[in-house]
Structure formats: structure tokens, C-alpha cells
Amino acid sequence: MRTHQLVQSWLEEQLAAGHLAVGDRLPGERMVAEQLGISRASAREGIRVLEAMGIVRAGVGSGPGAGTVITANPGAALGAALRLHMATSHLPIEDIVQTRLLLETWAAAHARPAAPAMENAAALLEAMESSAPDEKEFLRLDALFHVALADAAGNVLIGAMMSSLRESIEGYTLRLTRTLPDWAATSARLRAEHRDIHNAIRNDDGALAAKMVANHIEGFYKEAGFSGA
Amino acid sequence: MRTHQLVQSWLEEQLAAGHLAVGDRLPGERMVAEQLGISRASAREGIRVLEAMGIVRAGVGSGPGAGTVITANPGAALGAALRLHMATSHLPIEDIVQTRLLLETWAAAHARPAAPAMENAAALLEAMESSAPDEKEFLRLDALFHVALADAAGNVLIGAMMSSLRESIEGYTLRLTRTLPDWAATSARLRAEHRDIHNAIRNDDGALAAKMVANHIEGFYKEAGFSGA
């Protein structure tokens, strides 16, 4: 077992046994190294891997917020891993469209009208409508809107998968968007569709919202010249 | 940006530009450090993070297979991240059951009867039927069987999500299994259900296979005393 895996397993045991919990400070490198019988450099590496996975967050300074804190952000590792795998071209675009359809129609069907994330989604709609953002900013808000719907459905795992998927395809989506013949027309249509989806969820009509989300996603890829969805 | 993120971004650019590809040897620590203007220790850390994410694999020895090779195993990072998040208890069991239902019924509905993974699934069925494996070994084969069905559906991303999810809940599933009143009876039932699901896919009846998978998953959690599915 490599040392970064040793550090992972150790933390997993500490968490499972209740010796450590989310929000706690992680013991220092020296302590981790001693407990596991590894070098300080190996302990540091192991902790960096945990950081890259969104399991711990390194604090700065020397106040009470300093040190490395155990956090829980499953999306971070998923996002970074998916983005790199996108770059290796081992994730065909068909697979991404299909996965988006699966996760996002589920989310739309299960989003709860009164979930706090729906307020967040409404604010994002307004930002997309009022300030005429450029493609890049529009897509950033657009992605956050879709993630907010997933959050409104209340499944942590599906939300994290959605969020990491959106993050990992950001660059790709931007390139696709720049091939569109008429961005003003497309963005107006996307805005109207977002509003309709949001309304359907507010009216507790999950079946309609799911159908609209499927059309919304398929329509975008079709317009961008990708018909394999 | 932290140094491990610098190394990730650098590799992402190299891959996207076609300067490096899956199967290539990664440049050594010194080269990476020089190119990025960081210390060798930082470069090493960054490469370890890539390894933990399943993006590169460290070779051993000094032959042609030595050195760090660019690979593509999206499941590795997802699995490790999910397992740790399970340990922090930030993934409620309801969310896992729901996610399994979503991904696995999709996979059963889309699995192709002639996919090579179906042969693999058949071999796993035989291993579960012939050798009366103990709980732990049975669950290992069981997880591989479900992952094989996802592979037969041909979506790399959904397959990777499934596989990492199964890996991350392995310990939990084993504890759940040990609370079952009659393992012999349960395992006989699970084997029969696996066989039926496999046959439905072979007969190209995706709708039936999906329904059976849903009953199979819900039945297991219900029998283990978890009724929130």
C-alpha cells in the first residue's frame, strides 16, 4: 500500500471510530508520521492528496482558523478527476450528454418546491436575465442553476456528481457555445426554458420539469451541432 | 493556486494539446518542477495526487515498464473520495440507495445483450453459484457483477460512477449483510435474481431487467432492516 493510501485508511478509521469528525483539526504532519511509522515528507504528501480530494482544507495564518481542518466536499475530487479524464478524451461526449440527462431529469423530478436551493436558483435566473452576461459568465450562472436544482432534490451524492460533471465540462461547453450561429437568440431561449423549469418545480409538477429539462439539454447539444445525444 | 493544482492544470493542457496521451510516460519530477517553476518536492507531491486520482500509475523497476505512465481510471479517485466521505457520514444511506437505483436501473435498461461484459457477468454468476463463497467473497463477486452490467451498457462515465460507488460502500454492505437473519436463504435468492436479470438482458428485455434490478436492490436493503429506500 502506498503511503498516501495509508494516510487515507488511517483517516477513514479515525472518522469511522469517531475519534475525528468533520470540522476537527487534523493532527500535524509529525503526529501523522509517528502514528503511521512513515516519514514526515510522506505524511505531508498523504495530507496533500486528502486536500486535493476535498477531504481536508489547509488553513492559513496562525489564528484559531489555522491548521488543516477536516471538511467534506465530495465534489472537489470528482470534479478534478473528471476534468483530467475529459482531457485524456476517454470520456466520449455521448456519455456525458447521457449522464447529464439521467442525473438532471432525476433532479428535476425530485426537486422540492420549498427547498432553500430554489431561492438560490431564482437569484441565478435573475442574474442571467438582467445583466446580459457574456457566454462565459452566462454558462457559469447556467451551471450553478442546474446544480441548484440538484441540491433542491436533496441527494448529496447525486448533487456532488452533477456539480463535478458540470465543472469538468465547463471548457468543453464554452467551445461548443462559441460555434452557435446566434448566441443572442440561443441565450434568450435558454433563459425562457430555465424560467419554465423553475416554475414547474415551484408548482410541484416534477414530471413536467423533468420533461422540460430533457428537452432543454437535448436542444442545446442539437443546436450546437452535436446530434449523438 | 496550490502546487498540486498547478501540476494538474499542466497535465490537462499537455493532454488537451496532444503533447501527451494515455499510455505515455510522464516526464520526471525534475522536468515537471523545471517546467512549472516549483520545487522537486512540490512536483513529487503533485504527481502523487495524480496517482491517487487514477490519472497516472507509478511503475516499478528499471525496465521499459518503469516510470510513471499516464493511465485513465476515473473510478479510482471517485472511489477513494466517496469512501472517505462515507466515513464522515456526510453521505446518508438513503442517498446511496437512491443513487444505486438510478444508475443501476439505467444500466440494466441499456445493457447490450452482445456486449463482452455480459460474458464476464456470466462467469461471475457461475463463481457465485458454484463455490459457496462466504459473505465477503460473495459481496465482492456481486459488486463486480453489477459493475459488469454497467459496462455492458457502454457508458464510461456511468460505469465509473457505479464502480466507485460500489467500492466505497463495500465495508458498509458487509456490515449490513452480517445482520441478515439467514444468509444461506438470502444468498440463494440473490443468486436467482442475478440469473433472472442476466437472462432478461440476454433476451434484450431492458425494461424487465431494469424492474428486476430495482426490486433486487430494494429487497436487499429492506431485508437488512433498512426501509428508507
Side-chain angles (χ1 to χ4, degrees):
Chain A
M1 196 183 269
R2 302 187 68 89
T3 47
H4 66 79
Q5 289 167 319
L6 277 180
V7 176
Q8 276 176 45
S9 301
W10 166 79
L11 180 57
E12 210 178 317
E13 282 160 23
Q14 297 290 309
L15 289 164
H19 299 316
L20 286 172
V22 170
D24 285 352
R25 203 81 54 87
L26 198 72
E29 281 165 27
R30 183 161 49 187
M31 184 92 90
V32 172
E34 274 173 18
Q35 287 207 21
L36 295 172
I38 58 179
S39 70
R40 273 190 74 163
S42 295
R44 187 181 312 128
E45 263 178 32
I47 293 169
R48 284 284 185 281
V49 171
L50 294 177
E51 202 190 320
M53 291 186 157
I55 307 290
V56 302
R57 194 182 54 237
V60 285
S62 56
T68 300
V69 173
I70 301 167
T71 172
N73 178 15
L78 308 187
L82 287 178
R83 211 168 53 238
L84 273 156
H85 289 291
M86 284 288 295
T88 64
S89 305
H90 273 244
L91 285 183
I93 175 71
E94 295 91 319
D95 291 13
I96 290 165
V97 178
Q98 217 168 34
T99 309
R100 279 195 63 189
L101 284 170
L102 180 65
L103 300 179
E104 301 207 25
T105 55
W106 181 89
H110 292 80
R112 291 172 297 217
M118 290 299 290
E119 295 298 324
N120 188 10
L124 290 161
L125 286 182
E126 273 166 42
M128 278 186 273
E129 281 163 2
S130 62
S131 65
D134 65 11
E135 282 100 321
K136 193 170 175 181
E137 178 62 6
F138 185 93
L139 290 180
R140 194 183 69 81
L141 297 167
D142 184 330
L144 289 173
F145 171 76
H146 284 267
V147 170
L149 298 189
D151 289 342
N155 185 308
V156 180
L157 189 53
I158 294 175
M161 285 175 173
M162 265 280 299
S163 149
S164 57
L165 181 59
R166 291 304 296 236
E167 191 210 318
S168 68
I169 62 173
E170 202 181 297
Y172 174 84
T173 311
L174 185 59
R175 285 193 297 281
L176 211 59
T177 304
R178 287 183 171 149
T179 67
L180 290 172
D182 185 351
W183 171 245
T186 301
S187 64
R189 181 176 59 73
L190 295 176
R191 275 192 288 264
E193 290 175 0
H194 286 156
R195 187 56 79 179
D196 290 344
I197 294 164
H198 192 261
N199 284 337
I201 296 170
R202 284 292 201 198
N203 294 330
D204 211 6
D205 192 345
L208 178 63
K211 207 171 151 184
M212 284 173 164
V213 160
N215 290 336
H216 175 69
I217 295 173
E218 283 171 342
F220 172 77
Y221 286 101
K222 196 177 278 177
E223 193 173 40
F226 177 77
S227 54
Chain B
M1 197 183 267
R2 302 186 70 89
T3 48
H4 66 78
Q5 290 168 318
L6 278 179
V7 176
Q8 276 176 44
S9 302
W10 165 80
L11 180 58
E12 209 178 317
E13 281 160 24
Q14 297 289 309
L15 289 165
H19 299 318
L20 286 171
V22 170
D24 286 352
R25 203 81 56 87
L26 198 71
E29 281 165 26
R30 183 159 50 186
M31 184 90 92
V32 173
E34 273 172 19
Q35 287 207 23
L36 295 173
I38 57 178
S39 71
R40 272 190 74 164
S42 296
R44 187 180 311 128
E45 263 178 32
I47 293 169
R48 285 283 186 283
V49 171
L50 294 176
E51 202 190 320
M53 291 185 157
I55 308 289
V56 303
R57 194 182 54 237
V60 285
S62 57
T68 300
V69 173
I70 301 168
T71 172
N73 178 15
L78 307 189
L82 287 179
R83 212 169 51 238
L84 272 156
H85 289 291
M86 284 287 296
T88 64
S89 306
H90 272 243
L91 285 184
I93 176 70
E94 294 92 318
D95 290 13
I96 290 165
V97 178
Q98 215 168 35
T99 309
R100 281 196 62 189
L101 284 170
L102 180 65
L103 300 180
E104 301 207 26
T105 54
W106 180 89
H110 291 81
R112 290 171 301 216
M118 289 300 291
E119 296 298 326
N120 188 9
L124 289 161
L125 285 183
E126 273 165 41
M128 277 184 275
E129 282 163 1
S130 62
S131 64
D134 65 11
E135 281 101 321
K136 193 171 175 177
E137 177 62 6
F138 186 93
L139 289 180
R140 195 184 68 81
L141 297 167
D142 183 331
L144 289 173
F145 172 76
H146 284 267
V147 171
L149 298 190
D151 289 343
N155 185 308
V156 180
L157 189 53
I158 294 175
M161 285 175 172
M162 264 278 301
S163 147
S164 57
L165 181 59
R166 291 304 297 235
E167 191 210 318
S168 68
I169 61 173
E170 204 182 296
Y172 174 82
T173 311
L174 185 58
R175 284 193 297 281
L176 211 58
T177 304
R178 287 183 171 150
T179 66
L180 291 171
D182 184 351
W183 171 245
T186 301
S187 66
R189 180 176 60 74
L190 295 177
R191 275 193 288 264
E193 289 176 0
H194 285 157
R195 187 56 79 180
D196 290 342
I197 293 164
H198 192 262
N199 284 338
I201 296 170
R202 285 290 200 200
N203 294 331
D204 211 6
D205 192 346
L208 178 62
K211 208 172 149 182
M212 284 173 163
V213 161
N215 290 336
H216 175 69
I217 295 172
E218 283 171 341
F220 173 77
Y221 287 101
K222 196 177 279 179
E223 193 173 41
F226 177 76
S227 54

